[in-house]
Amino acid sequence: MSIASLRRSARATVSGLPQGFWWLWLSTLVNRTGAFVLTFLSLYLTTELGHSAWFAGLVVALHGLGGVAGSPLGGVLTDRWGRRPTMVTMHLASAACAGALAFVTSAWGVALVVLLMGVSMQAVRPSINATIADMVPADDVRRAYALNYWALNLGFAVASIAGGAAAFLGYRTLFLVDAVATTLCAVIVFLRLPETRPERVVAAAGEKAAEERVSMLDVLRDAPFRTLVLLNLLVCVVFTAPWIGLPLTMAEQGLPPSSYGMVIAVNGIVIVGFQLLVNKVTERRSPVVLLTVSSLLFAVGTGATALAGSSVAFAATVIVWTIGEMVHVPTNAAATARLAPEHARGRYQGVMGMSWAVAGFVAPVMAGAVVDGPGSNVLWAGTFALGVVAAVGYALRLRKALREEEPVVAPVADPAVEALEAEGEGAVEKAVSPAPVPSPAPVPSPAAAPSAASSPASGS
C-alpha cells in the first residue's frame, strides 16, 4: 500500500463527521493526556505515603467500585439533565478529586476520594457515548466511537510517557496537573459542545414525557440489550485478566518486571498506530460478525499466554487480544446505541458502562486468586473458555437484534428533473381523468356579493 493510498484512507476515516464531534474528541484527548492519577496512584500510596501493596490494591479496587455506581447514575443524569450539563459537572467533580489527592494524606481520606473519583469518572461516559449517537449519522456511529477510543488511548500513551518523565516533580504535582487538564476538558465542553439531547415528546396533555417513563428496570427488561450487556461482561472479564495475570505469569517464567513494562506497552502502541487502519478494514461489517470475531481474538490471545515462554511470545499474545479490543470497543458502543431508544440513550449506555466497571472490580480479584490457587495456566484456560462462550453467544443470540438493515439511499434532488416529473405526472392525470361535466350556471343572488374564497374548485 502506497503512502498516497494510506493518506486517502486516513482522510476517508476522519471525514464527514460533524464539527461538534471533533470538539468532543479534543476534550477526550485533553482529558486523557493529563490522566496521571490512576497511572501513578499505586506508586504514590506505597512509595510516598508508605502504605502496603494490599492497601494500594484495595484503593484501586474502590475506584472500580465507584464506577459500578457512577455508570447508571451518569446514564440517568444524561437523559434527565442533558448530555452537556452531565459532562461538565462530572468532569469538574473528577478535577476536584484529583486536586484533593494532592493534599489528603490519611489512608481512609485517600480511599474516599478515590471512590468518589471512580463515581465521577465513570458517570461521564454515558453522556459522551450518548452525545456521539445523537450527533453522528447512524452509518458513521461505529467509526466515531472508534476515533474517540483512539483519542483516549493516544492521550493515555502521552500521559504515561510524560508522567514518567515528570515524576521527579512529585506525585502531588502530577495530580494537580491532572486536575487542571480535566478542568480544561470541562471548559471545552461548556464553550464549544452543543446540547444534543432529543426534545421531549409529550404523549398527551397532562402526561409525563416518554423518556421519564423509562426506568433502569425497563432497560434491564430489554431482552436483546440484556444479552448484549451480559456477553460484554464476559468479554470485559477476559480483557481485564491480563492486566493482573500477565505480570504474575511472566514473573513465574523468571522474566524481570522491566520485561512486563515493554510487553504491556505493545497494547498502547498497537492501538495508537493501527486503530484507524482497523476502522477502515472493519467498516460496514456486520456488528454480530465483528463482536464474534473480537471475542475469539480475546480468547485466543489470552489463552495462548499459557504457552508463551519469552518476552517476544508474550508480546505476540498481547497483539492478538489488542486487535480484539480495537474491534470490540467501538462495535459494542455502536450496538448499544442501535438498541437504545433515542430518549433513553443515556440509561442504556450507563447500564453498558456498568458491565465494564463490574469487570474492573471483580476480574482483578478473581485473577489474583486463581494464580495464587490453581495456577496461571488455569486462569488462561478460563479466559479462553469465556471468550469462546461470548463468541457463541454473539453469533446465536444477537443475530436478529443486530441484523444489518439495508441502507435507504435518498435520491439527489434536481430541480430540472423534479419539474419534468411534475409535468409528466400532470399530463398523466390529465389524460386519465374524466372530462369535467359542466354544471349549470349559478343563479346570482343580489344579496350575496362575490367572494375570493368562492370558486368552482372549492365546491361553493
Side-chain angles (χ1 to χ4, degrees):
M1 182 177 288
S2 65
I3 296 178
S5 62
L6 287 174
R7 288 178 178 174
R8 287 194 299 269
S9 177
R11 191 178 299 113
T13 301
V14 301
S15 64
L17 297 174
Q19 184 181 20
F21 167 77
W22 291 110
W23 285 112
L24 182 63
W25 186 91
L26 178 63
S27 71
T28 299
L29 181 63
V30 170
N31 187 23
R32 297 301 294 179
T33 300
F36 298 120
V37 170
L38 289 181
T39 306
F40 297 96
L41 181 59
S42 59
L43 290 175
Y44 170 68
L45 292 172
T46 54
T47 62
E48 184 82 7
L49 299 184
H51 296 296
S52 65
W54 173 87
F55 180 78
L58 174 63
V59 171
V60 174
L62 285 176
H63 185 276
L65 183 62
V68 175
S71 190
L73 172 64
V76 172
L77 295 179
T78 295
D79 289 335
R80 290 187 177 178
W81 283 5
R83 283 62 161 136
R84 187 163 160 262
T86 302
M87 270 189 269
V88 171
T89 301
M90 294 305 165
H91 279 316
L92 291 177
S94 296
C97 290
L101 283 177
F103 304 100
V104 176
T105 57
S106 68
W108 297 112
V110 170
L112 177 61
V113 171
V114 171
L115 176 67
L116 295 176
M117 192 174 190
V119 173
S120 58
M121 287 184 66
Q122 193 65 32
V124 79
R125 298 183 188 277
S127 57
I128 293 174
N129 288 340
T131 300
I132 293 175
D134 292 338
M135 67 169 52
V136 176
D139 290 342
D140 295 322
V141 165
R142 197 185 68 81
R143 177 163 63 100
Y145 283 127
L147 287 170
N148 197 67
Y149 189 66
W150 180 60
L152 188 150
N153 281 277
L154 179 61
F156 182 76
V158 173
S160 299
I161 297 173
F168 67 90
L169 296 174
Y171 294 110
R172 290 182 173 86
T173 302
L174 293 181
F175 296 162
L176 290 175
V177 172
D178 190 328
V180 172
T182 308
T183 301
L184 178 58
C185 173
V187 171
I188 293 173
V189 171
F190 180 76
L191 295 179
R192 307 303 303 178
L193 194 67
E195 175 57 55
T196 63
R197 184 182 64 165
E199 294 293 332
R200 294 186 175 188
V201 179
V202 181
E207 293 187 10
K208 289 186 177 181
E211 64 267 27
E212 293 183 350
R213 297 199 300 267
V214 178
S215 65
M216 299 301 291
L217 185 59
D218 294 327
V219 175
L220 295 175
R221 286 172 178 164
D222 185 336
F225 177 67
R226 186 172 64 243
T227 301
L228 183 69
V229 171
L230 293 176
L231 292 175
N232 184 69
L233 178 59
L234 295 181
V235 173
C236 290
V237 170
V238 176
F239 169 65
T240 307
W243 299 92
I244 302 299
L246 183 58
L248 299 178
T249 302
M250 293 181 67
E252 290 178 356
Q253 299 288 341
L255 297 173
S258 59
S259 297
Y260 169 71
M262 291 185 292
V263 167
I264 202 62
V266 171
N267 174 259
I269 294 171
V270 171
I271 292 176
V272 173
F274 296 98
Q275 180 73 68
L276 298 183
L277 178 60
V278 170
N279 295 351
K280 189 64 178 177
V281 172
T282 59
E283 189 178 13
R284 310 302 181 193
R285 304 290 182 182
S286 164
V288 172
V289 172
L290 293 177
L291 291 171
T292 302
V293 170
S294 64
S295 299
L296 291 176
L297 288 171
F298 276 119
V300 173
T302 59
T305 307
L307 306 176
S310 65
S311 296
V312 174
F314 282 116
T317 66
V318 172
I319 292 175
V320 174
W321 59 256
T322 297
I323 297 174
E325 177 188 355
M326 289 190 289
V327 175
H328 178 86
V329 172
T331 305
N332 182 72
T336 302
R338 171 181 292 193
L339 294 178
E342 186 180 70
H343 57 273
R345 282 173 175 158
R347 290 173 172 86
Y348 272 68
Q349 293 288 354
V351 172
M352 180 56 70
M354 189 167 59
S355 67
W356 288 91
V358 169
F361 176 70
V362 173
V365 178
M366 293 179 58
V370 172
V371 171
D372 285 341
S376 58
N377 288 342
V378 174
L379 172 65
W380 305 123
T383 58
F384 176 81
L386 287 178
V388 172
V389 169
V392 173
Y394 284 123
L396 298 182
R397 301 286 297 174
L398 290 175
R399 184 171 298 277
K400 182 178 179 180
L402 298 179
R403 183 176 61 244
E404 291 283 1
E405 298 179 359
E406 291 296 328
V408 178
V409 181
V412 178
D414 188 327
V417 173
E418 290 180 350
L420 289 174
E421 290 178 349
E423 182 180 348
E425 291 175 358
V428 171
E429 291 179 358
K430 185 175 181 181
V432 300
S433 299
V437 179
S439 58
V443 178
S445 171
S451 171
S454 300
S455 67
S458 66
S460 54

